């Protein structure tokens, strides 16, 4: 169980995340929100970066950090001049790490080629394999579906579901609602840095409306005012 | 705005880069280092005329290697008018001091060999996306991934230079010169910061990360330096103290490059300014009696590296 107490993150004077308290039980949790809602900031804070000093973010009573959590960031960077296999060797060299080569039979990353020759999707899959190799109890995935083909999305869903069955906690952010609804046990709606609603699996009616309500209202007002006049 | 079309555009650019990278005293020290190396070359040629062939061939080979591996070649051809001429001017300026030394020593014929660098921009460049030096990389621990990157960036030129250093270990200075270049190539690899995920996968805390990286670097460089220095000492036993001092100086230099990287570590960034500091440290490492300066620089940066890495490992929570 992840417990969050008094978590606040700010960029300068602007507060971008404000979560007085929240818990995440083992299972798959989706975080949805528009751009700037604070999704990536939340995952970074859960991983131990950018928290306020009063914040308590714990997993089973211990501080959450890289020792008990794996994090696949939204942007993937790699050290130049190394191959995919060498990258995975690093992640599999630590204590308690697991061999993920068997998963690559499905994801088909060309491990013996230089990472600099990889496509965007291949890079994401390699970063995912690295995070999985660490074999941590908590897995944070920031926009893991970006750049993946449909086949890889299905494989990723199967992997995440398997981790949840084994009692792990997986937190996923995404802009794509469809796969997230199918995958998650709970979906948390994040708006302006606060959790505003939670949707349980099978009870996600109204999620899309809740996500876009504010945007739709603003869109109607702005587009109505604009009136489609391009001559100006 | 159009780029200036003069063939000296690259020379102008290098001068600007030098001025940015070094403070004025750094430029003076660099000039002194160049003069020092040239004097050593001149003395070597004067001592034994057969050295001219190695210096001339080595210079041509080095510039050829630079030309083959320069990452901006495609960019220059697309955006710089008369790119080949500009490259020829740059390479010509690079070998000019060597030509001067050979000319002053009266080795005019040998001086023709490095002069061929001006023809390099018209020669084909071999580009490959394949993995280089697989057998070498296998001997490097996964946590020292930047050294695998070094093999990718420098193979086979680095290996050829090392073999040349070993083959010519009976000469007084050439092996040290070649080893010095290899060490500087290794130090330059430390300018590239790894992503945060790779940093955190390498070790559990700042202390063990620094230990892993520094000792790993020292171990690998010892493997590179020892065979050549031992062989050189066998041929010139009276120089044992020069070889020992040089070896220790180079190990400290590489350790300093590693520590400097982590003192300024920012995920995914290339710390180009570190190159200037490493150059200054390298200069002190080869100047007689000043070898302790890089050690002081290393010890000064160590606490900064620990502090910076502690923030990355968020150990301030504990």
């Amino acid at each position: 169980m992840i417990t969050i107490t008094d978590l606040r993150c700010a960029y300068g004077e602007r507060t971008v995340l404000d979560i007085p308290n929240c818990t995440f039980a083992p299972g798959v949790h989706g975080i949805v929100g528009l751009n700037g809602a604070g999704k990536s900031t939340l995952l970074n804070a859960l991983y131990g970066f950018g928290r306020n000093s009063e914040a308590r973010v714990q997993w089973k009573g211990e501080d959450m950090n890289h020792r008990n959590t794996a994090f696949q960031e939204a942007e993937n960077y790699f050290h130049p001049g190394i191959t995919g296999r060498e990258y995975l060797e690093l992640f599999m060299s630590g204590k308690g790490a697991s061999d993920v080569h068997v998963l690559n039979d499905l994801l088909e990353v060309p491990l013996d080629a230089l990472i600099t020759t990889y496509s965007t999707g291949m890079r994401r899959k390699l970063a995912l394999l690295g995070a999985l190799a660490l074999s941590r109890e908590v897995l944070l995935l920031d926009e893991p579906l970006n750049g993946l083909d449909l086949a890889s999305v299905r494989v990723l869903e199967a992997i995440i579901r398997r981790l949840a069955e084994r009692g792990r906690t997986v937190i996923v952010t995404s802009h794509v609602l469809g796969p997230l609804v199918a995958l998650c046990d709970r979906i948390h709606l994040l708006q302006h840095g606060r959790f505003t609603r939670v949707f349980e699996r099978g009870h996600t009616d109204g999620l899309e409306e809740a996500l876009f309500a504010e945007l739709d209202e603003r869109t109607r007002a702005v587009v109505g005012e604009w009136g489609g006049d391009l001559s100006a | 705005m159009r780029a200036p079309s003069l063939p000296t555009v690259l020379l102008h650019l290098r001068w600007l880069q030098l001025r940015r990278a070094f403070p004025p005293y750094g430029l003076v020290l660099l000039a002194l280092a160049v003069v020092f190396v040239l004097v050593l070359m001149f003395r070597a040629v004067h001592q034994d005329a057969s050295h001219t062939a190695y210096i001339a061939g080595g210079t041509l080979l080095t510039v050829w290697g630079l030309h083959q591996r320069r990452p901006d070649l495609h960019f220059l051809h697309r955006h710089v008018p008369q790119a080949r001429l500009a490259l020829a001017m740059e390479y010509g300026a690079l070998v000019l001091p060597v030509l001067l030394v050979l000319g002053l020593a009266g080795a005019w014929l040998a001086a023709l060999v490095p002069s061929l660098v001006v023809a390099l921009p018209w020669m084909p460049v071999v580009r490959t996306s394949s993995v280089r030096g697989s057998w070498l990389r296998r001997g490097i621990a996964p946590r020292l991934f930047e050294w695998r990157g070094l093999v990718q960036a420098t193979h086979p030129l680095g290996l050829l230079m090392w073999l040349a250093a070993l083959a010519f270990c009976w000469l007084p200075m050439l092996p040290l010169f070649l080893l010095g270049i290899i060490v500087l190539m290794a130090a330059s690899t430390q300018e590239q910061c790894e992503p945060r995920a790779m940093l955190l996968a390498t070790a559990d805390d700042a202390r063990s990360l620094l230990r892993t990286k520094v000792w790993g670097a020292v171990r690998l460089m010892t493997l590179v330096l020892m065979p050549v220095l031992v062989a050189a000492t066998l041929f010139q036993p009276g120089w044992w103290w020069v070889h020992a001092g040089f070896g220790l100086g180079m190990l400290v230099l590489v350790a300093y490059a590693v520590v400097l990287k982590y003192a300024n570590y920012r995920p995914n960034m290339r710390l180009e300014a570190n190159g200037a500091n490493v150059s200054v440290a390298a200069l002190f490492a080869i100047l007689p009696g000043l070898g302790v300066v890089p050690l002081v620089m290393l010890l000064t940066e160590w606490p900064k590296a620990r502090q910076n890495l502690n923030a990355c490992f968020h150990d301030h929570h504990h």
Side-chain angles (χ1 to χ4, degrees):
Chain A
M1 174 83 79
I2 297 171
T3 53
I4 302 174
T5 315
D6 293 331
L7 176 62
R8 276 184 300 281
C9 298
Y11 294 132
E13 295 293 305
R14 193 166 66 94
T15 301
V16 290
L17 197 64
D18 185 2
I19 301 176
N21 54 64
C22 174
T23 57
F24 292 94
V28 187
H29 296 262
I31 309 288
V32 296
L34 302 179
N35 286 342
K39 301 187 294 295
S40 296
T41 307
L42 171 67
L43 293 198
N44 266 294
L46 290 180
Y47 198 47
F49 293 94
R51 289 179 201 162
N52 53 320
S53 54
E54 306 84 41
R56 284 165 65 85
V57 181
Q58 296 185 318
W59 175 79
K60 285 187 179 174
E62 289 174 15
D63 186 44
M64 257 182 82
N65 55 44
H66 68 282
R67 294 182 188 94
N68 47 33
T69 306
F71 182 20
Q72 183 197 359
E73 297 181 61
E75 297 288 336
N76 299 127
Y77 295 97
F78 302 91
H79 197 278
I82 62 169
T83 65
R85 192 173 300 284
E86 289 168 342
Y87 179 79
L88 286 187
E89 273 178 27
L90 170 68
F91 285 77
M92 293 191 304
S93 65
K95 275 182 287 185
S98 62
D99 191 339
V100 289
H101 284 107
V102 65
L103 292 177
N104 197 44
D105 291 345
L106 295 167
L107 293 172
E108 297 177 332
V109 179
L111 292 180
D112 290 318
L114 292 171
I115 301 173
T116 43
T117 63
Y118 285 11
S119 66
T120 309
M122 291 296 177
R123 284 168 182 245
R124 285 207 79 71
K125 287 192 268 187
L126 181 66
L128 174 74
L129 286 172
L132 291 171
L134 291 171
S135 203
R136 301 286 196 253
E137 290 295 326
V138 181
L139 180 62
L140 309 175
L141 303 173
D142 198 358
E143 303 287 354
L145 306 176
N146 282 4
L148 293 192
D149 56 30
L150 293 175
S152 300
V153 170
R154 286 182 80 87
V155 172
L156 176 63
E157 285 172 1
I159 292 169
I160 292 174
R161 287 304 327 162
R162 179 69 180 148
L163 288 171
E165 285 164 18
R166 301 286 296 270
R168 306 283 172 91
T169 308
V170 184
I171 302 180
V172 189
T173 70
S174 180
H175 287 107
V176 192
L177 279 183
L180 213 59
V181 168
L183 181 66
C184 296
D185 298 315
R186 285 183 129 190
I187 294 183
H188 306 254
L189 182 60
L190 190 65
Q191 292 178 305
H192 306 295
R194 292 165 189 265
F195 284 130
T196 51
R197 281 183 72 177
V198 178
F199 296 84
E200 300 287 341
R201 173 184 281 278
H203 299 88
T204 52
D205 293 344
L207 170 61
E208 204 167 331
E209 290 76 7
L211 176 62
F212 297 119
E214 193 184 313
L215 177 73
D216 287 345
E217 198 175 312
R218 271 176 38 223
T219 305
R220 270 194 298 276
V222 172
V223 173
E225 190 181 328
W226 171 54
D229 182 9
L230 292 169
S231 59
Chain B
M1 196 175 77
R2 258 186 80 78
S5 60
L6 288 173
T8 51
V9 62
L10 287 181
L11 291 179
H12 185 64
L13 180 68
R14 298 296 166 229
W15 173 239
L16 288 177
Q17 285 177 324
L18 271 178
R19 279 180 51 192
R20 267 195 185 179
F22 291 96
Y25 70 90
L27 286 175
V28 174
L29 288 174
L30 184 69
L32 284 174
V34 171
V35 170
F36 180 68
V37 171
L38 293 177
V39 169
L40 286 179
M41 269 190 201
F42 183 76
R43 285 187 62 181
V45 172
H46 222 64
Q47 205 173 21
D48 184 346
S50 66
H51 292 170
T52 52
Y54 305 125
I55 291 173
T59 307
L60 179 63
L61 188 69
T62 306
V63 181
W64 175 78
L66 286 174
H67 179 67
Q68 289 290 323
R69 307 306 302 272
R70 62 183 300 158
D72 59 347
L73 200 62
H74 184 62
F75 176 85
L76 293 178
H77 280 299
R78 279 187 65 180
H79 299 290
V80 175
Q82 305 181 72
R84 287 196 169 86
L85 207 54
L87 284 164
M89 293 284 280
E90 188 184 23
Y91 296 151
L94 203 61
V95 300
L96 199 60
V98 180
L99 292 181
L100 198 68
V101 166
L102 294 175
L104 284 174
W108 293 106
L109 205 60
L112 285 176
V113 176
S115 313
L116 293 175
V117 295
V118 295
L120 287 177
W122 283 270
M123 287 177 68
V125 172
V126 181
R127 282 269 178 261
T128 172
S129 59
S130 62
V131 180
R132 294 168 187 263
S134 301
W135 60 277
L136 269 175
R137 305 161 84 106
R138 276 196 289 274
I140 300 171
R143 292 175 188 204
L144 301 174
F145 47 84
E146 57 273 67
W147 293 84
R148 290 175 165 175
L150 171 71
V151 172
Q152 182 64 30
T154 60
H155 190 74
L157 184 68
L159 181 65
L160 286 174
M161 286 171 76
W162 185 81
L163 288 173
L166 196 62
F168 298 115
C169 62
W170 46 275
L171 290 173
M173 288 309 296
L174 187 65
L176 304 189
F177 179 67
L178 292 173
L179 286 180
I181 293 174
I182 293 170
V183 169
L184 285 179
M185 288 197 300
S188 71
T189 312
Q190 304 297 334
E191 289 177 16
Q192 178 65 48
C193 293
E194 61 269 43
R196 191 170 62 179
M198 293 182 78
L199 181 93
L200 297 178
T202 304
D204 275 345
D205 53 55
R207 192 177 168 185
S208 58
L209 183 121
L210 269 181
R211 211 170 39 212
T212 302
K213 293 291 187 181
V214 172
W215 288 120
V218 167
R219 231 179 9 248
L220 286 175
M221 280 323 296
T222 305
L223 286 174
V224 171
L225 296 170
M226 276 295 270
V228 178
L229 292 178
V230 168
T233 308
L234 288 177
F235 280 103
Q236 306 186 52
W239 278 47
W240 70 267
W241 57 276
V242 175
H243 295 153
F246 177 83
L248 287 173
M250 292 301 105
L251 291 182
V252 170
L253 185 65
V254 170
Y256 170 65
V258 174
V259 173
L260 188 65
K261 167 183 160 181
Y262 290 111
N264 299 292
Y265 173 83
R266 295 282 175 279
N268 317 317
M269 294 287 284
R270 187 167 183 86
L271 305 168
E272 285 171 353
N274 281 11
N277 289 315
V278 171
S279 303
V280 172
L283 183 63
F284 283 119
I286 57 168
L287 285 176
L290 292 174
V292 75
V293 176
L295 186 61
V296 173
M297 292 167 84
L298 165 67
L299 295 175
T300 312
E301 292 297 331
W302 192 285
K304 291 183 200 166
R306 278 285 295 274
Q307 193 180 7
N308 192 31
L309 284 174
N310 274 337
C312 295
F313 281 93
H314 39 76
D315 277 354
H316 53 282
H317 286 302
H318 301 285

